[in-house]
Amino acid sequence: MKKIILSLAAVLAFTLTSDAQTRKGTVLLGAGSQFSEQNINTLAITPKVGYFVQDGIAIGALVNFQNDNTDKSAYELNDNTAEIGVFGRYYVSNNLFTEVSLSSKSVSNEDFKGVMTDNVHIWTLNGELVAPGTTGAVPAYNADLTPVIVDQYEIDQVVEEATKSLNFNLGLGYTIVWREHFAVEPFMNLTFMNGEKKEYDATNKLIENHDLKGTHFNLGVNFSLFF
């Protein structure tokens, strides 16, 4: 009986603490990480800051800028992520909340790959035809001084794959408060996406552009501070 009473007391204390974090005037600072159904090995992290305008109701912004640079001897590769948006959160109960957000997001990743190029002016190096721009090579010309042109030629170059989209998210989460100001929040959401995608076709060695539309189901966890 004593254990049951202690357990009930712990649950009551947890509920009251969780309710205190969502009162008017509280600032929410956190970062959400999620796995999508498309690629469970990809972890996306988005920082956010919000303010409780009323008990149980918060509004805020999410901002995410990331850059990764790889400097090779002959070329440079850049990976960039930029996302900015707004969100609103409503606590259905002390711990259960719904959240909606609208954001604009762009992601680009660069790699060094062969690309098929039309009507290429070939260069020469030590009497052999080489790709344009080869170190030590010079442009090739025919006997009549016209450029040596080939219909198609594969050239190794920096290739960018990128997506740009407008995302609307509708989600449901649960706040688990630990030590008063810190919370772990498992959640799930549905993303409605509209945008465009540029990707590399490895078979034909071409860069293609496609419309990007659809819905995606995601699972994840937020780590939040309330103060």
Side-chain angles (χ1 to χ4, degrees):
M1 184 65 180
K2 184 177 180 181
K3 291 183 178 180
I4 295 176
I5 294 174
L6 290 175
S7 298
L8 290 174
V11 171
L12 179 60
F14 168 81
T15 302
L16 293 174
T17 303
S18 177
D19 180 61
Q21 311 312 311
T22 62
R23 290 176 182 168
K24 180 179 179 180
T26 299
V27 175
L28 165 65
L29 181 64
S33 60
Q34 68 180 34
F35 297 95
S36 71
E37 62 179 351
Q38 292 181 308
N39 190 349
I40 197 166
N41 295 316
T42 299
L43 179 64
I45 300 178
T46 305
K48 63 175 63 174
V49 58
Y51 181 79
F52 282 86
V53 294
Q54 293 184 19
D55 290 354
I57 300 177
I59 58 174
L62 52 94
V63 180
N64 182 19
F65 293 99
Q66 299 180 40
N67 177 264
D68 184 23
N69 176 271
T70 303
D71 191 8
K72 302 290 186 179
S73 57
Y75 56 90
E76 185 178 280
L77 301 178
N78 292 283
D79 294 337
N80 297 287
T81 298
E83 183 177 16
I84 185 169
V86 294
F87 74 91
R89 176 183 292 191
Y90 171 67
Y91 276 82
V92 181
S93 67
N94 288 338
N95 306 90
L96 185 67
F97 65 86
T98 61
E99 186 171 296
V100 295
S101 66
L102 180 66
S103 66
S104 175
K105 184 176 183 178
S106 62
V107 178
S108 67
N109 300 287
E110 293 181 341
D111 202 352
F112 195 69
K113 299 179 180 180
V115 178
M116 295 302 296
T117 305
D118 297 331
N119 301 320
V120 177
H121 184 187
I122 296 300
W123 289 26
T124 59
L125 178 64
N126 298 326
E128 296 184 0
L129 298 180
V130 295
T134 300
T135 302
V138 295
Y141 292 92
N142 296 308
D144 59 358
L145 300 182
T146 58
V148 177
I149 304 294
V150 294
D151 293 336
Q152 280 195 327
Y153 195 87
E154 182 180 333
I155 300 176
D156 290 333
Q157 63 185 55
V158 175
V159 174
E160 180 192 40
E161 294 188 313
T163 60
K164 294 181 179 180
S165 62
L166 183 66
N167 304 320
F168 175 73
N169 295 284
L170 179 61
L172 183 68
Y174 192 85
T175 298
I176 303 173
V177 176
W178 183 66
R179 294 199 174 180
E180 188 176 359
H181 295 291
F182 178 75
V184 178
E185 300 172 334
F187 72 90
M188 58 183 177
N189 67 23
L190 188 63
T191 300
F192 300 87
M193 179 184 298
N194 185 24
E196 59 182 8
K197 182 177 184 178
K198 179 169 69 174
E199 61 182 350
Y200 177 73
D201 183 342
T203 302
N204 298 310
K205 300 185 182 301
L206 299 172
I207 304 297
E208 298 181 338
N209 292 291
H210 305 283
D211 289 335
L212 189 64
K213 296 182 179 180
T215 59
H216 307 291
F217 178 74
N218 311 294
L219 294 172
V221 60
N222 292 326
F223 301 96
S224 300
L225 291 173
F226 296 87
F227 55 91

